[in-house]
Every structure is written in structure tokens, then in C-alpha cells.
Amino acid sequence: MKIAIAGAGIGGLAAAILLRQNGADVTLFDQFLAPEPVGSGLVIQPVGQAVLKVCGVLDETIATGNLVHRMLGHEGDSGRRVLDVWYDRANGQRKGLALHRNALFQALWDSAIASGTKVRTDVQVTQAHAGVLTLADGTMTEPFDLIVDALGAHSPLSPMSAKDLPYGALWANVDWPEASKLPKDELRQTYRKASNMVGVLPIGTPPGQEKPMAAIFWSLPQGGYDAWRKGGLAAWQDQAAALWPAFADFAAQITDPDQLTMARYAHGTLATPYADRIAHIGDAAHRASPQLGQGANMALLDAYALARALKAHPVAQALPAYAKARRWHVRTYQAMSWAFTPQYQSDSRWLPVLRDRLLFPASMIPPVPRLLTSLVCGTVLPAFPRGDPLR
């Protein structure tokens, strides 16, 4: 089987590895001149880690990443807890894998190349029809039995119509300050209402680095980036430190506004993530805010489900099987993301009050903590279909 994968992100690389394990002839297309990751720190949840293990890169990513066991958020003015979710409070066996995107990308890239995946770089894919890709220079590829669209949120191959979310975030990767007293095994966030959010994620020591690092995040309205730049770094650092004094040592490392990148989010789901000889995975199939930490997780699960379907069926039957395997897991997490995000990133006045005074106290009453653990682990519904070896 000849398969083209458009996009060398996390989902595309995982798909290449898994499809090569099936014996497929895989060609990967991407517009970069040299392989490089795009993005900040991220968390791979336990079900996503299971896919990394099948890809053969879990031990490597754990070695360069950082295991976290808790997500803890406080209200900035009062200091009250408003988010407290443990991965596995009972025995600590399940943890999130926090790491620099570069660490995950490099491990997957090396594995894909070692698997025999063929790569075409410096090519921009613009269209797909009947198994043929059209490139930006007007040339067309040879026909493939299947095209995997892993081009992300702005894929020209995806028919999705996604709705922009009102808030995005600034992000950067910085050294972990030696003086910081924040724990290195927790994701920490601080909020003021739902319009201000600042976060710190310990991401370990990525390849090529000598010191542990952190990914930092600052919530910002979609249209607020220009105003933020005009306000100046000093004003932002003062505002962030006033909201959360423990963040000051992290923010002090930002000396140029270009060190912070604006990430904009959208929400949407393809009802049918495939068409004639094309399958959409990752953000090309479903987009949401990163509030539940499931973006990379979902891309890995899509790649795994597609590879499993193609191993069991011809293409025509495999694509509906792939969609069926992922349908309810994707829809559930999309719905949860839609419900949770406005409580932490919006201009609402009453939602943060509801969050702090009602929902958080309720979240501490059994069995709700166990349900929240399943939510962040990616197992609130089975991620794998009945009979799958990873289930």
C-alpha cells in the first residue's frame, strides 16, 4: 500500500511510524527545509503515552521530559484553590508526560526515518484529489492508495469550518529558575476571574539543553496581541508578577517580545474525518482549546486508530472503521473542552464565580475526583475500541 502523509507534526510522524510497522510504503511531505518542531511545551496523557510506546519512543521521551502528577490552579487575589486534579493520587502509577515539543518531535522524527519513511521537504501541499497531491508550484504527485492529512489547524485539505475562540495565549520556553520554589512535578496556574490566566509547566531537559526548562503561558484575547506589544514588556511583567509573585522569575527571562508567541485557538469537529482516499487526523479533524491538555494526545490516538484500521481492512472499509473507532472519544472531549474553556478563558463575570464557589468544591466530593482524573488521563471514555491490545 502506498500512503502519502501531508504534514510532519506529531500526528503525521506517529502515523508514518505505525503505517511502516504495517508494511506500507510511506512518503511524508512537509514545507520545512530542515526538520524542526513548531510549538511550546505540551503534556502527553497516559493513553497517548501508550501510543508512544507502540511507536518505540516512550522511554526516550520520558528521559528528556518530566513526569507530572498534578494540575493545581489558584485564584490570584484570594489564593484559593480553584483547580486540583491528580493523575493518580492513590499510588502514583499514572502521570502526565510534560516535555518540550522539540523532544517529542526529535524522537518521532528519528524513529520515522529509521523505519524507512521517505521524506519530501520544501514542498507545500495545497490540494488532494483521488489520491494525488497538488503542490504549491502546480506540480502533482504520483497517485497514492491513501493520503493522510496531518497538516494541522490550517490544513488546506480539510473541509472543516471551525469557530475562533475569544481567547488564545502567549507562550515561551524558559530556564527553570534556581530560586523557584514551585514543584517540578505539577502544572501550576493562577487566575483572576476568567480573563487573566498564567501558567508554568515543567518540561524537563530537552535535547541540547543543560538546564531544566519550563513552558510559560499567559492568556490573551484573540485581538489583544498588538495592544500587548504596545504596552511593553515591563508593564506585562509587573502585571504578571502582581497576579502571581512566583511567576516573576520566569517572566524576567523574557527580554524581547518576540520570545513570546501568540497561539490562537478554534473549536470544530469534522462529522466525517475522511473522504475518497483521504483521512484527516489531529487538528485537521478536530480543533479545541488546550485547556484539557488533549491536543497532541488526540493526534496520537488518531494515528494509532487509522493504522489499526488499515491493518485490518482495505482502504474503503478502513476509513469508516477509523472514524467509528474515534467518534465518541473525540466528541466527548470536544464537548468537555467546549464546556470547560469559558470558565478559564473568557470575559464572563459569572462563570468564574460558578467555577470557584460551586464547581470546585463539588469537584472535591467523591466520586468526582476520580472522574476528573479519568478526564485528564484521556480515559473518561475508552480511547481504544473493544478488542484492541492497548485497551
Side-chain angles (χ1 to χ4, degrees), residues 11-12 14-15 18 51 148-149 273 279-286 294-310 322-323 325-327 329-330 383-384:
L18 296 167
V51 178
V148 179
D149 173 17
H280 308 281
I281 68 172
D283 285 351
H286 37 74
Q294 295 293 330
N297 222 44
M298 290 293 191
L300 290 169
L301 292 171
D302 288 350
Y304 179 80
L306 178 61
R308 290 283 297 172
L310 287 165
Y322 153 65
R326 293 294 295 130
R327 181 174 296 125
H329 190 261
V330 167
F384 306 105

PDB file of all heavy atoms in Angstrom, residues 11-12 14-15 18 51 148-149 273 279-286 294-310 322-323 325-327 329-330 383-384:
ATOM      1  N   GLY A  11       1.173  14.057  14.883  1.00  0.00           N
ATOM      2  CA  GLY A  11       0.278  13.058  14.313  1.00  0.00           C
ATOM      3  C   GLY A  11       0.836  12.454  13.040  1.00  0.00           C
ATOM      4  O   GLY A  11       0.761  11.231  12.836  1.00  0.00           O
ATOM      5  N   GLY A  12       1.400  13.280  12.159  1.00  0.00           N
ATOM      6  CA  GLY A  12       1.943  12.784  10.903  1.00  0.00           C
ATOM      7  C   GLY A  12       3.112  11.845  11.103  1.00  0.00           C
ATOM      8  O   GLY A  12       3.214  10.793  10.455  1.00  0.00           O
ATOM      9  N   ALA A  14       3.832  10.091  13.893  1.00  0.00           N
ATOM     10  CA  ALA A  14       3.352   8.857  14.523  1.00  0.00           C
ATOM     11  C   ALA A  14       2.674   7.965  13.492  1.00  0.00           C
ATOM     12  O   ALA A  14       2.867   6.739  13.490  1.00  0.00           O
ATOM     13  CB  ALA A  14       2.400   9.184  15.665  1.00  0.00           C
ATOM     14  N   ALA A  15       1.883   8.566  12.601  1.00  0.00           N
ATOM     15  CA  ALA A  15       1.223   7.780  11.559  1.00  0.00           C
ATOM     16  C   ALA A  15       2.252   7.110  10.654  1.00  0.00           C
ATOM     17  O   ALA A  15       2.095   5.941  10.270  1.00  0.00           O
ATOM     18  CB  ALA A  15       0.285   8.669  10.745  1.00  0.00           C
ATOM     19  N   LEU A  18       3.728   4.061  12.527  1.00  0.00           N
ATOM     20  CA  LEU A  18       2.765   2.972  12.696  1.00  0.00           C
ATOM     21  C   LEU A  18       2.397   2.328  11.367  1.00  0.00           C
ATOM     22  O   LEU A  18       2.211   1.103  11.289  1.00  0.00           O
ATOM     23  CB  LEU A  18       1.513   3.506  13.407  1.00  0.00           C
ATOM     24  CG  LEU A  18       1.761   4.010  14.838  1.00  0.00           C
ATOM     25  CD1 LEU A  18       0.559   4.799  15.335  1.00  0.00           C
ATOM     26  CD2 LEU A  18       2.065   2.852  15.782  1.00  0.00           C
ATOM     27  N   VAL A  51       0.497   5.042  23.026  1.00  0.00           N
ATOM     28  CA  VAL A  51       0.793   5.088  21.588  1.00  0.00           C
ATOM     29  C   VAL A  51       2.287   5.323  21.371  1.00  0.00           C
ATOM     30  O   VAL A  51       2.903   4.706  20.497  1.00  0.00           O
ATOM     31  CB  VAL A  51      -0.048   6.162  20.891  1.00  0.00           C
ATOM     32  CG1 VAL A  51       0.305   6.236  19.398  1.00  0.00           C
ATOM     33  CG2 VAL A  51      -1.536   5.888  21.067  1.00  0.00           C
ATOM     34  N   VAL A 148      -2.967  10.851   4.021  1.00  0.00           N
ATOM     35  CA  VAL A 148      -3.257  11.183   5.415  1.00  0.00           C
ATOM     36  C   VAL A 148      -3.014  12.672   5.602  1.00  0.00           C
ATOM     37  O   VAL A 148      -1.887  13.155   5.433  1.00  0.00           O
ATOM     38  CB  VAL A 148      -2.375  10.367   6.384  1.00  0.00           C
ATOM     39  CG1 VAL A 148      -2.690  10.754   7.832  1.00  0.00           C
ATOM     40  CG2 VAL A 148      -2.586   8.871   6.174  1.00  0.00           C
ATOM     41  N   ASP A 149      -4.068  13.395   5.920  1.00  0.00           N
ATOM     42  CA  ASP A 149      -3.980  14.837   6.140  1.00  0.00           C
ATOM     43  C   ASP A 149      -3.611  15.093   7.601  1.00  0.00           C
ATOM     44  O   ASP A 149      -4.447  14.968   8.497  1.00  0.00           O
ATOM     45  CB  ASP A 149      -5.314  15.498   5.802  1.00  0.00           C
ATOM     46  CG  ASP A 149      -5.354  16.975   6.163  1.00  0.00           C
ATOM     47  OD1 ASP A 149      -4.282  17.570   6.366  1.00  0.00           O
ATOM     48  OD2 ASP A 149      -6.475  17.531   6.242  1.00  0.00           O
ATOM     49  N   PRO A 273     -14.364  12.293   9.294  1.00  0.00           N
ATOM     50  CA  PRO A 273     -12.956  12.678   9.128  1.00  0.00           C
ATOM     51  C   PRO A 273     -12.253  11.944   7.983  1.00  0.00           C
ATOM     52  O   PRO A 273     -11.070  11.610   8.077  1.00  0.00           O
ATOM     53  CB  PRO A 273     -12.347  12.309  10.476  1.00  0.00           C
ATOM     54  CG  PRO A 273     -13.134  11.121  10.905  1.00  0.00           C
ATOM     55  CD  PRO A 273     -14.547  11.368  10.425  1.00  0.00           C
ATOM     56  N   ALA A 279      -7.721  10.586   4.689  1.00  0.00           N
ATOM     57  CA  ALA A 279      -8.122  10.561   6.090  1.00  0.00           C
ATOM     58  C   ALA A 279      -7.533  11.790   6.783  1.00  0.00           C
ATOM     59  O   ALA A 279      -6.367  12.126   6.576  1.00  0.00           O
ATOM     60  CB  ALA A 279      -7.627   9.288   6.771  1.00  0.00           C
ATOM     61  N   HIS A 280      -8.331  12.459   7.594  1.00  0.00           N
ATOM     62  CA  HIS A 280      -7.887  13.638   8.340  1.00  0.00           C
ATOM     63  C   HIS A 280      -7.621  13.222   9.785  1.00  0.00           C
ATOM     64  O   HIS A 280      -8.450  12.551  10.408  1.00  0.00           O
ATOM     65  CB  HIS A 280      -8.952  14.736   8.298  1.00  0.00           C
ATOM     66  CG  HIS A 280      -9.415  15.078   6.917  1.00  0.00           C
ATOM     67  ND1 HIS A 280      -8.689  15.883   6.067  1.00  0.00           N
ATOM     68  CD2 HIS A 280     -10.525  14.691   6.231  1.00  0.00           C
ATOM     69  CE1 HIS A 280      -9.341  16.001   4.914  1.00  0.00           C
ATOM     70  NE2 HIS A 280     -10.448  15.292   4.983  1.00  0.00           N
ATOM     71  N   ILE A 281      -6.480  13.631  10.327  1.00  0.00           N
ATOM     72  CA  ILE A 281      -6.147  13.307  11.710  1.00  0.00           C
ATOM     73  C   ILE A 281      -5.700  14.570  12.440  1.00  0.00           C
ATOM     74  O   ILE A 281      -5.330  15.569  11.821  1.00  0.00           O
ATOM     75  CB  ILE A 281      -5.048  12.221  11.804  1.00  0.00           C
ATOM     76  CG1 ILE A 281      -3.700  12.745  11.301  1.00  0.00           C
ATOM     77  CG2 ILE A 281      -5.466  10.964  11.038  1.00  0.00           C
ATOM     78  CD1 ILE A 281      -2.538  11.771  11.545  1.00  0.00           C
ATOM     79  N   GLY A 282      -5.706  14.503  13.776  1.00  0.00           N
ATOM     80  CA  GLY A 282      -5.243  15.627  14.582  1.00  0.00           C
ATOM     81  C   GLY A 282      -6.097  16.863  14.376  1.00  0.00           C
ATOM     82  O   GLY A 282      -7.319  16.793  14.208  1.00  0.00           O
ATOM     83  N   ASP A 283      -5.439  18.034  14.394  1.00  0.00           N
ATOM     84  CA  ASP A 283      -6.161  19.299  14.272  1.00  0.00           C
ATOM     85  C   ASP A 283      -6.831  19.476  12.916  1.00  0.00           C
ATOM     86  O   ASP A 283      -7.690  20.347  12.768  1.00  0.00           O
ATOM     87  CB  ASP A 283      -5.209  20.470  14.517  1.00  0.00           C
ATOM     88  CG  ASP A 283      -4.865  20.650  15.988  1.00  0.00           C
ATOM     89  OD1 ASP A 283      -5.496  19.976  16.825  1.00  0.00           O
ATOM     90  OD2 ASP A 283      -3.975  21.452  16.299  1.00  0.00           O
ATOM     91  N   ALA A 284      -6.469  18.696  11.937  1.00  0.00           N
ATOM     92  CA  ALA A 284      -7.168  18.744  10.658  1.00  0.00           C
ATOM     93  C   ALA A 284      -8.543  18.099  10.758  1.00  0.00           C
ATOM     94  O   ALA A 284      -9.413  18.336   9.909  1.00  0.00           O
ATOM     95  CB  ALA A 284      -6.355  18.047   9.568  1.00  0.00           C
ATOM     96  N   ALA A 285      -8.761  17.294  11.816  1.00  0.00           N
ATOM     97  CA  ALA A 285     -10.035  16.607  12.013  1.00  0.00           C
ATOM     98  C   ALA A 285     -10.851  17.186  13.161  1.00  0.00           C
ATOM     99  O   ALA A 285     -12.086  17.118  13.153  1.00  0.00           O
ATOM    100  CB  ALA A 285      -9.798  15.120  12.268  1.00  0.00           C
ATOM    101  N   HIS A 286     -10.171  17.760  14.154  1.00  0.00           N
ATOM    102  CA  HIS A 286     -10.883  18.311  15.317  1.00  0.00           C
ATOM    103  C   HIS A 286      -9.973  19.316  16.009  1.00  0.00           C
ATOM    104  O   HIS A 286      -8.795  19.053  16.236  1.00  0.00           O
ATOM    105  CB  HIS A 286     -11.289  17.206  16.288  1.00  0.00           C
ATOM    106  CG  HIS A 286     -10.288  16.104  16.424  1.00  0.00           C
ATOM    107  ND1 HIS A 286      -9.102  16.247  17.112  1.00  0.00           N
ATOM    108  CD2 HIS A 286     -10.267  14.858  15.929  1.00  0.00           C
ATOM    109  CE1 HIS A 286      -8.412  15.121  17.049  1.00  0.00           C
ATOM    110  NE2 HIS A 286      -9.087  14.258  16.324  1.00  0.00           N
ATOM    111  N   GLN A 294      -5.259  17.918  25.637  1.00  0.00           N
ATOM    112  CA  GLN A 294      -5.521  16.717  24.850  1.00  0.00           C
ATOM    113  C   GLN A 294      -5.121  16.835  23.382  1.00  0.00           C
ATOM    114  O   GLN A 294      -5.304  15.889  22.619  1.00  0.00           O
ATOM    115  CB  GLN A 294      -7.015  16.372  24.924  1.00  0.00           C
ATOM    116  CG  GLN A 294      -7.502  16.000  26.298  1.00  0.00           C
ATOM    117  CD  GLN A 294      -6.936  14.693  26.803  1.00  0.00           C
ATOM    118  OE1 GLN A 294      -6.627  13.786  26.039  1.00  0.00           O
ATOM    119  NE2 GLN A 294      -6.767  14.590  28.116  1.00  0.00           N
ATOM    120  N   GLY A 295      -4.565  17.958  22.938  1.00  0.00           N
ATOM    121  CA  GLY A 295      -4.297  18.157  21.518  1.00  0.00           C
ATOM    122  C   GLY A 295      -3.371  17.112  20.921  1.00  0.00           C
ATOM    123  O   GLY A 295      -3.729  16.397  19.975  1.00  0.00           O
ATOM    124  N   ALA A 296      -2.152  16.991  21.448  1.00  0.00           N
ATOM    125  CA  ALA A 296      -1.208  16.003  20.935  1.00  0.00           C
ATOM    126  C   ALA A 296      -1.693  14.595  21.205  1.00  0.00           C
ATOM    127  O   ALA A 296      -1.492  13.679  20.400  1.00  0.00           O
ATOM    128  CB  ALA A 296       0.166  16.222  21.567  1.00  0.00           C
ATOM    129  N   ASN A 297      -2.353  14.429  22.357  1.00  0.00           N
ATOM    130  CA  ASN A 297      -2.927  13.137  22.701  1.00  0.00           C
ATOM    131  C   ASN A 297      -3.870  12.641  21.612  1.00  0.00           C
ATOM    132  O   ASN A 297      -3.810  11.494  21.170  1.00  0.00           O
ATOM    133  CB  ASN A 297      -3.705  13.306  24.004  1.00  0.00           C
ATOM    134  CG  ASN A 297      -3.517  12.165  24.967  1.00  0.00           C
ATOM    135  OD1 ASN A 297      -2.415  11.696  25.166  1.00  0.00           O
ATOM    136  ND2 ASN A 297      -4.597  11.720  25.556  1.00  0.00           N
ATOM    137  N   MET A 298      -4.770  13.525  21.179  1.00  0.00           N
ATOM    138  CA  MET A 298      -5.764  13.162  20.172  1.00  0.00           C
ATOM    139  C   MET A 298      -5.108  12.817  18.842  1.00  0.00           C
ATOM    140  O   MET A 298      -5.530  11.890  18.145  1.00  0.00           O
ATOM    141  CB  MET A 298      -6.769  14.297  20.004  1.00  0.00           C
ATOM    142  CG  MET A 298      -7.692  14.489  21.185  1.00  0.00           C
ATOM    143  SD  MET A 298      -8.810  13.081  21.371  1.00  0.00           S
ATOM    144  CE  MET A 298      -9.961  13.714  22.573  1.00  0.00           C
ATOM    145  N   ALA A 299      -4.076  13.556  18.470  1.00  0.00           N
ATOM    146  CA  ALA A 299      -3.377  13.272  17.213  1.00  0.00           C
ATOM    147  C   ALA A 299      -2.734  11.893  17.255  1.00  0.00           C
ATOM    148  O   ALA A 299      -2.777  11.133  16.273  1.00  0.00           O
ATOM    149  CB  ALA A 299      -2.331  14.345  16.937  1.00  0.00           C
ATOM    150  N   LEU A 300      -2.133  11.534  18.382  1.00  0.00           N
ATOM    151  CA  LEU A 300      -1.521  10.213  18.522  1.00  0.00           C
ATOM    152  C   LEU A 300      -2.573   9.112  18.449  1.00  0.00           C
ATOM    153  O   LEU A 300      -2.370   8.073  17.793  1.00  0.00           O
ATOM    154  CB  LEU A 300      -0.765  10.123  19.843  1.00  0.00           C
ATOM    155  CG  LEU A 300       0.519  10.956  19.947  1.00  0.00           C
ATOM    156  CD1 LEU A 300       1.019  10.997  21.389  1.00  0.00           C
ATOM    157  CD2 LEU A 300       1.604  10.400  19.035  1.00  0.00           C
ATOM    158  N   LEU A 301      -3.702   9.331  19.102  1.00  0.00           N
ATOM    159  CA  LEU A 301      -4.766   8.330  19.079  1.00  0.00           C
ATOM    160  C   LEU A 301      -5.353   8.172  17.679  1.00  0.00           C
ATOM    161  O   LEU A 301      -5.678   7.062  17.251  1.00  0.00           O
ATOM    162  CB  LEU A 301      -5.861   8.709  20.074  1.00  0.00           C
ATOM    163  CG  LEU A 301      -5.473   8.630  21.553  1.00  0.00           C
ATOM    164  CD1 LEU A 301      -6.549   9.242  22.428  1.00  0.00           C
ATOM    165  CD2 LEU A 301      -5.207   7.192  21.971  1.00  0.00           C
ATOM    166  N   ASP A 302      -5.490   9.286  16.958  1.00  0.00           N
ATOM    167  CA  ASP A 302      -5.977   9.220  15.573  1.00  0.00           C
ATOM    168  C   ASP A 302      -5.032   8.387  14.717  1.00  0.00           C
ATOM    169  O   ASP A 302      -5.463   7.529  13.938  1.00  0.00           O
ATOM    170  CB  ASP A 302      -6.080  10.624  14.976  1.00  0.00           C
ATOM    171  CG  ASP A 302      -7.229  11.439  15.542  1.00  0.00           C
ATOM    172  OD1 ASP A 302      -8.071  10.869  16.256  1.00  0.00           O
ATOM    173  OD2 ASP A 302      -7.274  12.650  15.270  1.00  0.00           O
ATOM    174  N   ALA A 303      -3.727   8.662  14.839  1.00  0.00           N
ATOM    175  CA  ALA A 303      -2.739   7.938  14.046  1.00  0.00           C
ATOM    176  C   ALA A 303      -2.800   6.446  14.350  1.00  0.00           C
ATOM    177  O   ALA A 303      -2.744   5.602  13.434  1.00  0.00           O
ATOM    178  CB  ALA A 303      -1.341   8.489  14.323  1.00  0.00           C
ATOM    179  N   TYR A 304      -2.931   6.116  15.620  1.00  0.00           N
ATOM    180  CA  TYR A 304      -2.983   4.708  16.014  1.00  0.00           C
ATOM    181  C   TYR A 304      -4.244   4.038  15.479  1.00  0.00           C
ATOM    182  O   TYR A 304      -4.190   2.922  14.927  1.00  0.00           O
ATOM    183  CB  TYR A 304      -2.932   4.605  17.538  1.00  0.00           C
ATOM    184  CG  TYR A 304      -3.015   3.182  18.058  1.00  0.00           C
ATOM    185  CD1 TYR A 304      -1.896   2.363  18.068  1.00  0.00           C
ATOM    186  CD2 TYR A 304      -4.219   2.664  18.529  1.00  0.00           C
ATOM    187  CE1 TYR A 304      -1.972   1.060  18.542  1.00  0.00           C
ATOM    188  CE2 TYR A 304      -4.304   1.362  18.998  1.00  0.00           C
ATOM    189  CZ  TYR A 304      -3.181   0.564  19.000  1.00  0.00           C
ATOM    190  OH  TYR A 304      -3.264  -0.726  19.451  1.00  0.00           O
ATOM    191  N   ALA A 305      -5.394   4.706  15.637  1.00  0.00           N
ATOM    192  CA  ALA A 305      -6.658   4.125  15.176  1.00  0.00           C
ATOM    193  C   ALA A 305      -6.655   3.924  13.667  1.00  0.00           C
ATOM    194  O   ALA A 305      -7.153   2.912  13.162  1.00  0.00           O
ATOM    195  CB  ALA A 305      -7.826   5.022  15.587  1.00  0.00           C
ATOM    196  N   LEU A 306      -6.090   4.885  12.931  1.00  0.00           N
ATOM    197  CA  LEU A 306      -6.032   4.757  11.478  1.00  0.00           C
ATOM    198  C   LEU A 306      -5.139   3.590  11.072  1.00  0.00           C
ATOM    199  O   LEU A 306      -5.493   2.792  10.192  1.00  0.00           O
ATOM    200  CB  LEU A 306      -5.527   6.058  10.861  1.00  0.00           C
ATOM    201  CG  LEU A 306      -5.374   6.066   9.335  1.00  0.00           C
ATOM    202  CD1 LEU A 306      -6.717   5.815   8.656  1.00  0.00           C
ATOM    203  CD2 LEU A 306      -4.780   7.395   8.867  1.00  0.00           C
ATOM    204  N   ALA A 307      -3.983   3.470  11.689  1.00  0.00           N
ATOM    205  CA  ALA A 307      -3.069   2.374  11.367  1.00  0.00           C
ATOM    206  C   ALA A 307      -3.701   1.023  11.684  1.00  0.00           C
ATOM    207  O   ALA A 307      -3.565   0.067  10.904  1.00  0.00           O
ATOM    208  CB  ALA A 307      -1.752   2.540  12.123  1.00  0.00           C
ATOM    209  N   ARG A 308      -4.398   0.922  12.819  1.00  0.00           N
ATOM    210  CA  ARG A 308      -5.065  -0.328  13.174  1.00  0.00           C
ATOM    211  C   ARG A 308      -6.152  -0.671  12.167  1.00  0.00           C
ATOM    212  O   ARG A 308      -6.301  -1.841  11.772  1.00  0.00           O
ATOM    213  CB  ARG A 308      -5.672  -0.212  14.575  1.00  0.00           C
ATOM    214  CG  ARG A 308      -4.665  -0.154  15.703  1.00  0.00           C
ATOM    215  CD  ARG A 308      -4.067  -1.490  16.023  1.00  0.00           C
ATOM    216  NE  ARG A 308      -5.082  -2.427  16.493  1.00  0.00           N
ATOM    217  CZ  ARG A 308      -4.876  -3.716  16.705  1.00  0.00           C
ATOM    218  NH1 ARG A 308      -3.688  -4.230  16.449  1.00  0.00           N
ATOM    219  NH2 ARG A 308      -5.840  -4.506  17.136  1.00  0.00           N
ATOM    220  N   ALA A 309      -6.914   0.326  11.728  1.00  0.00           N
ATOM    221  CA  ALA A 309      -7.991   0.078  10.763  1.00  0.00           C
ATOM    222  C   ALA A 309      -7.425  -0.388   9.427  1.00  0.00           C
ATOM    223  O   ALA A 309      -7.970  -1.295   8.784  1.00  0.00           O
ATOM    224  CB  ALA A 309      -8.827   1.341  10.585  1.00  0.00           C
ATOM    225  N   LEU A 310      -6.317   0.222   9.001  1.00  0.00           N
ATOM    226  CA  LEU A 310      -5.715  -0.151   7.723  1.00  0.00           C
ATOM    227  C   LEU A 310      -5.053  -1.520   7.776  1.00  0.00           C
ATOM    228  O   LEU A 310      -4.917  -2.194   6.748  1.00  0.00           O
ATOM    229  CB  LEU A 310      -4.693   0.913   7.300  1.00  0.00           C
ATOM    230  CG  LEU A 310      -5.294   2.231   6.816  1.00  0.00           C
ATOM    231  CD1 LEU A 310      -4.229   3.315   6.766  1.00  0.00           C
ATOM    232  CD2 LEU A 310      -5.937   2.056   5.450  1.00  0.00           C
ATOM    233  N   TYR A 322     -11.940   3.575  10.988  1.00  0.00           N
ATOM    234  CA  TYR A 322     -11.151   4.580  11.724  1.00  0.00           C
ATOM    235  C   TYR A 322     -12.067   5.616  12.358  1.00  0.00           C
ATOM    236  O   TYR A 322     -11.933   5.944  13.548  1.00  0.00           O
ATOM    237  CB  TYR A 322     -10.162   5.242  10.768  1.00  0.00           C
ATOM    238  CG  TYR A 322      -9.764   6.648  11.132  1.00  0.00           C
ATOM    239  CD1 TYR A 322      -9.040   6.923  12.289  1.00  0.00           C
ATOM    240  CD2 TYR A 322     -10.123   7.730  10.312  1.00  0.00           C
ATOM    241  CE1 TYR A 322      -8.687   8.218  12.626  1.00  0.00           C
ATOM    242  CE2 TYR A 322      -9.771   9.029  10.643  1.00  0.00           C
ATOM    243  CZ  TYR A 322      -9.059   9.267  11.797  1.00  0.00           C
ATOM    244  OH  TYR A 322      -8.712  10.559  12.123  1.00  0.00           O
ATOM    245  N   ALA A 323     -13.013   6.132  11.569  1.00  0.00           N
ATOM    246  CA  ALA A 323     -13.921   7.155  12.090  1.00  0.00           C
ATOM    247  C   ALA A 323     -14.763   6.608  13.239  1.00  0.00           C
ATOM    248  O   ALA A 323     -14.971   7.287  14.256  1.00  0.00           O
ATOM    249  CB  ALA A 323     -14.824   7.659  10.962  1.00  0.00           C
ATOM    250  N   ALA A 325     -14.002   4.154  15.280  1.00  0.00           N
ATOM    251  CA  ALA A 325     -13.164   3.910  16.458  1.00  0.00           C
ATOM    252  C   ALA A 325     -12.912   5.180  17.252  1.00  0.00           C
ATOM    253  O   ALA A 325     -12.746   5.132  18.475  1.00  0.00           O
ATOM    254  CB  ALA A 325     -11.843   3.288  16.026  1.00  0.00           C
ATOM    255  N   ARG A 326     -12.879   6.327  16.593  1.00  0.00           N
ATOM    256  CA  ARG A 326     -12.527   7.575  17.263  1.00  0.00           C
ATOM    257  C   ARG A 326     -13.741   8.432  17.612  1.00  0.00           C
ATOM    258  O   ARG A 326     -13.622   9.393  18.375  1.00  0.00           O
ATOM    259  CB  ARG A 326     -11.594   8.390  16.355  1.00  0.00           C
ATOM    260  CG  ARG A 326     -10.262   7.772  16.142  1.00  0.00           C
ATOM    261  CD  ARG A 326      -9.427   7.725  17.427  1.00  0.00           C
ATOM    262  NE  ARG A 326      -9.100   9.061  17.885  1.00  0.00           N
ATOM    263  CZ  ARG A 326      -9.294   9.495  19.131  1.00  0.00           C
ATOM    264  NH1 ARG A 326      -9.814   8.703  20.048  1.00  0.00           N
ATOM    265  NH2 ARG A 326      -8.972  10.730  19.459  1.00  0.00           N
ATOM    266  N   ARG A 327     -14.920   8.098  17.062  1.00  0.00           N
ATOM    267  CA  ARG A 327     -16.067   9.017  17.097  1.00  0.00           C
ATOM    268  C   ARG A 327     -16.420   9.494  18.494  1.00  0.00           C
ATOM    269  O   ARG A 327     -16.425  10.706  18.772  1.00  0.00           O
ATOM    270  CB  ARG A 327     -17.281   8.352  16.436  1.00  0.00           C
ATOM    271  CG  ARG A 327     -18.525   9.253  16.403  1.00  0.00           C
ATOM    272  CD  ARG A 327     -19.637   8.596  15.609  1.00  0.00           C
ATOM    273  NE  ARG A 327     -19.238   8.437  14.209  1.00  0.00           N
ATOM    274  CZ  ARG A 327     -19.255   7.273  13.558  1.00  0.00           C
ATOM    275  NH1 ARG A 327     -19.630   6.168  14.188  1.00  0.00           N
ATOM    276  NH2 ARG A 327     -18.888   7.212  12.306  1.00  0.00           N
ATOM    277  N   HIS A 329     -15.001   9.074  21.501  1.00  0.00           N
ATOM    278  CA  HIS A 329     -13.930   9.640  22.312  1.00  0.00           C
ATOM    279  C   HIS A 329     -13.687  11.092  21.911  1.00  0.00           C
ATOM    280  O   HIS A 329     -13.583  11.984  22.762  1.00  0.00           O
ATOM    281  CB  HIS A 329     -12.659   8.801  22.136  1.00  0.00           C
ATOM    282  CG  HIS A 329     -11.574   9.142  23.105  1.00  0.00           C
ATOM    283  ND1 HIS A 329     -10.517   9.954  22.783  1.00  0.00           N
ATOM    284  CD2 HIS A 329     -11.383   8.786  24.410  1.00  0.00           C
ATOM    285  CE1 HIS A 329      -9.720  10.077  23.838  1.00  0.00           C
ATOM    286  NE2 HIS A 329     -10.214   9.384  24.834  1.00  0.00           N
ATOM    287  N   VAL A 330     -13.591  11.356  20.607  1.00  0.00           N
ATOM    288  CA  VAL A 330     -13.378  12.720  20.122  1.00  0.00           C
ATOM    289  C   VAL A 330     -14.544  13.620  20.507  1.00  0.00           C
ATOM    290  O   VAL A 330     -14.351  14.734  21.023  1.00  0.00           O
ATOM    291  CB  VAL A 330     -13.179  12.726  18.592  1.00  0.00           C
ATOM    292  CG1 VAL A 330     -13.281  14.143  18.039  1.00  0.00           C
ATOM    293  CG2 VAL A 330     -11.838  12.111  18.224  1.00  0.00           C
ATOM    294  N   ALA A 383     -10.491   4.966  25.033  1.00  0.00           N
ATOM    295  CA  ALA A 383      -9.820   5.574  23.896  1.00  0.00           C
ATOM    296  C   ALA A 383      -9.592   4.575  22.774  1.00  0.00           C
ATOM    297  O   ALA A 383      -9.371   4.957  21.625  1.00  0.00           O
ATOM    298  CB  ALA A 383      -8.481   6.161  24.329  1.00  0.00           C
ATOM    299  N   PHE A 384      -9.658   3.287  23.106  1.00  0.00           N
ATOM    300  CA  PHE A 384      -9.402   2.243  22.135  1.00  0.00           C
ATOM    301  C   PHE A 384     -10.631   1.360  22.012  1.00  0.00           C
ATOM    302  O   PHE A 384     -11.302   1.067  23.008  1.00  0.00           O
ATOM    303  CB  PHE A 384      -8.196   1.405  22.577  1.00  0.00           C
ATOM    304  CG  PHE A 384      -6.966   2.225  22.855  1.00  0.00           C
ATOM    305  CD1 PHE A 384      -6.547   2.468  24.142  1.00  0.00           C
ATOM    306  CD2 PHE A 384      -6.251   2.791  21.812  1.00  0.00           C
ATOM    307  CE1 PHE A 384      -5.428   3.231  24.412  1.00  0.00           C
ATOM    308  CE2 PHE A 384      -5.130   3.558  22.059  1.00  0.00           C
ATOM    309  CZ  PHE A 384      -4.717   3.796  23.355  1.00  0.00           C
TER     310      PHE A 384
END
